[in-house]
Amino acid sequence: MTAERTGGCLCGAVRFAARDVPGKCGVCHCEMCRRWTGSALIGVTVPTGSVTFSGDGLRVIQSSGWAERGFCGECGSGIYFRVTREGEWFGNTELPIGIFDDANGFEITNEIYIDHKPDSFSYEGMQGRRLLTRAECVEKFSALEGGGPED
């Protein structure tokens, strides 16, 4: 883990500082993340309480029955993904690594919705990585009130 990492949106209207940022990250290939990012979401999970946002551009949309996404209301950059329902992934915030001021030093350790990954997406070093299909992800999320992701 690093002491602190900073980042922000394309136009600078939203900035953040995150403490206790791990060196590992994950990839989500679900349709919602692909549409939100224009590709797969490559993100790092940090405790929600360790992230502070500044600036006046942050907007939030409830993107499903169990999660929200933060974005810049000025330039549209995706800022975070957060599960809003109690359960296994509640209490964390997923920050896209592309919005960090320094996006170096992250290792991809897992991919979810792997069965929805377009055949044009390929990452090196697949050995040892945790891969979950859509059905496996939905099963994990179905424990949350409101059911699984709507993609």
Side-chain angles (χ1 to χ4, degrees):
M1 295 215 186
T2 61
E4 182 176 275
R5 285 193 182 235
T6 58
C9 68
L10 182 63
C11 73
V14 178
R15 297 286 303 157
F16 72 87
R19 298 179 319 279
D20 303 322
V21 178
K24 61 183 183 177
C25 63
V27 180
C28 181
H29 296 286
C30 80
E31 184 177 335
M32 289 177 74
C33 283
R34 289 195 331 257
R35 290 184 185 277
W36 183 53
T37 64
S39 185
L41 169 61
I42 303 174
V44 62
T45 305
V46 298
T48 296
S50 74
V51 183
T52 56
F53 296 98
S54 59
D56 59 1
L58 186 62
R59 304 293 181 270
V60 178
I61 182 172
Q62 190 74 33
S63 57
S64 71
W66 51 268
E68 68 182 19
R69 294 173 193 265
F71 63 97
C72 176
E74 299 297 318
C75 68
S77 295
I79 304 296
Y80 73 80
F81 167 84
R82 184 180 296 155
V83 172
T84 56
R85 298 274 173 101
E86 295 284 338
E88 180 181 354
W89 291 328
F90 181 78
N92 293 311
T93 296
E94 193 79 16
L95 298 168
I97 65 170
I99 66 170
F100 281 89
D101 292 331
D102 179 2
N104 291 305
F106 292 108
E107 175 189 2
I108 297 173
T109 58
N110 67 296
E111 292 182 59
I112 62 173
Y113 281 71
I114 193 69
D115 54 331
H116 287 224
K117 179 181 85 148
D119 62 6
S120 59
F121 290 11
S122 180
Y123 300 105
E124 293 182 22
M126 295 290 289
Q127 194 165 13
R129 192 173 301 160
R130 183 176 177 210
L131 305 175
L132 297 176
T133 65
R134 179 187 188 281
E136 291 165 333
C137 290
V138 169
E139 181 179 330
K140 283 190 169 290
F141 281 117
S142 67
L144 302 174
E145 185 181 325
E150 296 124 24
D151 64 339

